Amino acid sequence: MLVDSHCHLDYPEFADLADVVRRAEAAGVGAMLTIGTELSRFPAVLAVAEAQPNIYCTVGVHPHEAGKGEMVQLDELLRLADHPKVVGFGETGLDYFYERSPRAQQQKSFRIHIEAARRLQLPLIVHTRDADDDTMAILKDEMKQGAFPGLIHCFSASAEFATEAVELGFYISISGIVTFNKAQNVRDAIKDVPLERFLVETDAPYLAPIPFRGKPNEPAYTRYTAAKLAEIKGVSEDEIETVTTDNFYRLFTKAPRPAEGF
């Protein structure tokens, strides 16, 4: 089976969760990770995860939300992560493209999430856009204070960034962007990333892969991203399916691995 390692199933596009799950299962996607973006939305995220045995979730504050209201507190992240369905922290990180929150607030929130990941040794889901230098600087600085697991979500950075992330022990998660005609830079950047460091994701309902670009994305479409990754790496789709799923459960150690999907 495949695992969609990043989607947003609490969004209104997925009101009929049972149908989403059925289509995913038919496409060979046997598990999904639905991602927290605001603490105020966390109950809805958790409810989605609790509704299906092979949906997991994370808790966190997206960089867009980092400057809204009170700063996220470490104790609250740790408390919410005590739930068995919560398997990681995020998404967090830096977004200097939209800058919907002040940079200083984004950076502070990012470091708080990192400390939570370090304390519990649960993976950190990192969002970085137009902020790769600061993102990597913070990751390296924090890693000196104690190791923590994590991944770069929706990878769209440089080959150098990918190499540095892998050297830190991070995984690289590939989205539908890799199928876009104008994304040759992304395809080039991941050519030398070892297979044992890849995950695949949709970021649904965003970034639908070709041939669905422009339409709402959904977990069933993970297979199209996996197929493109297989082409880039020169291996079979079956190998990508096996490797990326093994990688997911190696990273997300708190997620129980299903025997046969849903």
Side-chain angles (χ1 to χ4, degrees):
M1 69 173 194
L2 284 164
V3 178
D4 182 356
S5 67
H6 192 113
C7 53
H8 298 278
L9 298 180
D10 62 308
Y11 285 20
E13 289 87 344
F14 305 115
D16 193 339
L17 183 62
D19 276 353
V20 172
V21 170
R22 280 194 290 269
R23 289 193 295 271
E25 182 181 18
V29 180
M32 310 168 198
L33 180 60
T34 190
I35 303 296
T37 57
E38 301 177 61
L39 293 189
S40 63
R41 296 179 65 101
F42 177 70
V45 174
L46 182 60
V48 169
E50 290 181 322
Q52 294 285 344
N54 297 336
I55 297 179
Y56 325 109
C57 72
T58 67
V59 59
V61 178
H62 193 287
H64 288 340
E65 312 301 327
K68 300 178 181 178
E70 295 183 2
M71 177 60 59
V72 62
Q73 298 299 306
L74 175 62
D75 288 349
E76 186 171 18
L77 288 177
L78 297 176
R79 177 181 64 81
L80 294 174
D82 189 55
H83 192 285
K85 277 286 188 170
V86 180
V87 301
F89 292 106
E91 63 188 280
T92 182
L94 306 176
D95 193 313
Y96 295 172
F97 182 80
Y98 288 109
E99 294 205 86
R100 292 178 181 168
S101 294
R103 293 186 180 188
Q105 295 290 88
Q106 293 186 45
Q107 292 172 13
K108 183 177 180 180
S109 177
F110 191 19
R111 289 183 185 272
I112 292 169
H113 285 77
I114 290 172
E115 180 59 25
R118 183 187 292 117
R119 293 275 188 99
L120 297 187
Q121 288 298 297
L122 294 179
L124 183 79
I125 292 87
V126 176
H127 170 114
T128 178
R129 188 170 185 188
D130 280 14
D132 292 348
D133 289 347
D134 282 0
T135 297
M136 187 54 65
I138 288 173
L139 290 175
K140 288 181 176 180
D141 179 59
E142 290 287 342
M143 198 65 75
K144 293 174 184 176
Q145 301 175 48
F148 52 93
L151 65 87
I152 306 301
H153 139 68
C154 193
F155 182 83
S156 61
S158 65
E160 179 183 7
F161 187 94
T163 298
E164 291 181 313
V166 169
E167 288 175 349
L168 289 176
F170 269 52
Y171 288 73
I172 304 295
S173 187
I174 304 302
S175 72
I177 288 175
V178 78
T179 71
F180 295 176
N181 294 332
K182 294 183 179 180
Q184 188 59 45
N185 61 318
V186 175
R187 293 186 284 274
D188 290 342
I190 65 173
K191 281 183 179 178
D192 294 329
V193 173
L195 280 177
E196 60 268 20
R197 286 291 158 179
F198 280 115
L199 302 180
V200 286
E201 65 170 83
T202 58
D203 202 16
Y206 309 113
L207 301 175
I210 291 174
F212 302 102
R213 191 173 184 189
K215 299 178 181 179
N217 202 358
E218 62 175 272
Y221 299 163
T222 309
R223 180 156 298 282
Y224 292 86
T225 296
K228 191 65 177 181
L229 181 58
E231 177 188 320
I232 293 165
K233 298 299 290 182
V235 300
S236 69
E237 292 182 36
D238 285 347
E239 184 170 355
I240 290 296
E241 181 174 326
T242 298
V243 169
T244 59
T245 297
D246 287 347
N247 292 347
F248 178 87
Y249 288 103
R250 186 180 304 114
L251 177 60
F252 289 94
T253 56
K254 192 177 171 183
R257 184 166 184 162
E260 299 180 6
F262 288 100

